[in-house]
Amino acid sequence: MSLEIRDLHVSVETENGPKPILKGVNLAVAPGEVHAIMGPNGSGKSTLAYSLAGHPKYTITSGSVLLDGTELVGLSVDERAKAGLFLAMQYPVEVPGVSVANFLRTAKTAIDGQAPPIRTWVKQVNEALGALQLDKEFAARSVNEGFSGGEKKRNEIVQLDLLNPRYAVLDETDSGLDIDALRVVSDGVNRYIEQGDRGVLLITHYTRILRYIKPDFVHVFVDGAIVQEGDSSLADSLEETGYEQWVKADE
């Protein structure tokens, strides 16, 4: 039982034809594990996140992605979500005219195959909003429309809480957050992790979020592949040395 990425190759279409971005990624996230992927800008970290979720811009040219034995390659975005995969986006999109409450209930219904009971659901939504320090009136606002950067990221973790997927891919959830919002968001992720049987793939540039969310494994990502792996101490050494040694070796 794991989220297993096997020799994943991904390309994106450009004016000059397909451009390879991921060049053979191998990684397995078991239930209860937190894996951090760290790397410089342009290394392909976000491409990995969107490819796992099924974004049509990215073409998986070879390789396999298994979620508890289910092959995700070839499945639609919603089928991957139903299988148990969740993506918190670096840049959450606006959905004008669709309230947060309606969005959440529709998503929950689609994943579970049945609508949640209204009375208990409203209570759950209010509790999830409160845990992320969002007022319950927030539920009536259109998804991400006019939200601050911090509100967008908190809203992503509200979704994580309520949908409670098997595996969560968090793509630079810490970007654009001040220190208070970072703590609130990290607390939300940690509540999800504390269930003990959920897996997290945390993608970030910086070590600051890793002060609040402790990874079991750290992977250094350069030019579309994992070039170094270790425990949480690897993140500490990256704080000192940066990525230069791997970037230079790749040139």
Side-chain angles (χ1 to χ4, degrees):
M1 302 288 279
S2 64
L3 175 62
E4 189 172 359
I5 304 165
R6 299 177 179 173
D7 196 25
L8 191 66
H9 289 72
V10 172
S11 65
V12 63
E13 198 64 38
T14 70
E15 293 179 356
N16 300 316
K19 178 183 177 182
I21 304 294
L22 302 187
K23 303 170 183 178
V25 178
N26 291 283
L27 179 65
V29 180
E33 292 181 349
V34 178
H35 290 245
I37 289 187
M38 304 185 69
N41 279 326
S43 59
K45 302 187 304 300
S46 289
T47 295
L48 174 62
Y50 285 108
S51 298
L52 294 176
H55 195 297
K57 176 182 175 182
Y58 303 99
T59 301
I60 295 176
T61 54
S62 66
S64 177
V65 180
L66 296 169
L67 191 156
D68 292 344
T70 298
E71 176 61 70
L72 297 187
V73 175
L75 296 186
S76 64
V77 173
D78 63 313
E79 288 171 333
R80 296 181 195 211
K82 288 176 185 176
L85 188 69
F86 174 86
L87 171 64
M89 293 183 285
Q90 181 180 1
Y91 303 110
V93 297
E94 294 183 5
V95 189
V98 177
S99 71
V100 168
N102 284 341
F103 174 82
L104 290 169
R105 192 161 194 267
T106 300
K108 185 69 170 175
T109 301
I111 288 171
D112 290 356
Q114 60 182 10
I118 284 288
R119 183 173 298 178
T120 55
W121 178 246
V122 171
K123 183 173 182 286
Q124 285 179 281
V125 170
N126 288 339
E127 287 176 351
L129 290 172
L132 272 295
Q133 296 186 14
L134 294 168
D135 192 275
K136 63 182 181 181
E137 275 73 34
F138 189 87
R141 296 174 63 183
S142 291
V143 176
N144 292 323
E145 191 173 34
F147 289 13
S148 68
E151 287 175 334
K152 288 180 180 179
K153 296 303 177 72
R154 292 183 197 204
N155 187 42
E156 294 283 283
I157 306 307
V158 168
Q159 294 171 45
L160 176 67
D161 182 358
L162 292 168
L163 301 180
N164 197 23
R166 295 285 299 157
Y167 299 91
V169 180
L170 309 180
D171 185 21
E172 300 200 26
T173 299
D174 52 335
S175 66
L177 296 182
D178 61 31
I179 192 66
D180 293 324
L182 179 61
R183 284 176 177 150
V184 171
V185 165
S186 297
D187 285 347
V189 175
N190 284 328
R191 283 191 294 274
Y192 168 78
I193 293 168
E194 285 163 6
Q195 295 176 90
D197 61 349
R198 298 298 192 253
V200 173
L201 188 58
L202 177 63
I203 296 171
T204 184
H205 284 299
Y206 307 110
T207 58
R208 66 174 193 153
I209 194 170
L210 303 184
R211 296 169 193 159
Y212 303 99
I213 302 171
K214 299 298 183 185
D216 300 295
F217 303 94
V218 174
H219 311 269
V220 180
F221 208 78
V222 174
D223 193 30
I226 293 170
V227 297
Q228 182 74 29
E229 297 176 299
D231 59 19
S232 59
S233 65
L234 178 55
D236 297 328
S237 65
L238 287 172
E239 183 83 2
E240 299 291 329
T241 63
Y243 305 108
E244 187 175 4
Q245 59 180 303
W246 294 288
V247 173
K248 278 189 172 181
D250 188 63
E251 291 175 347

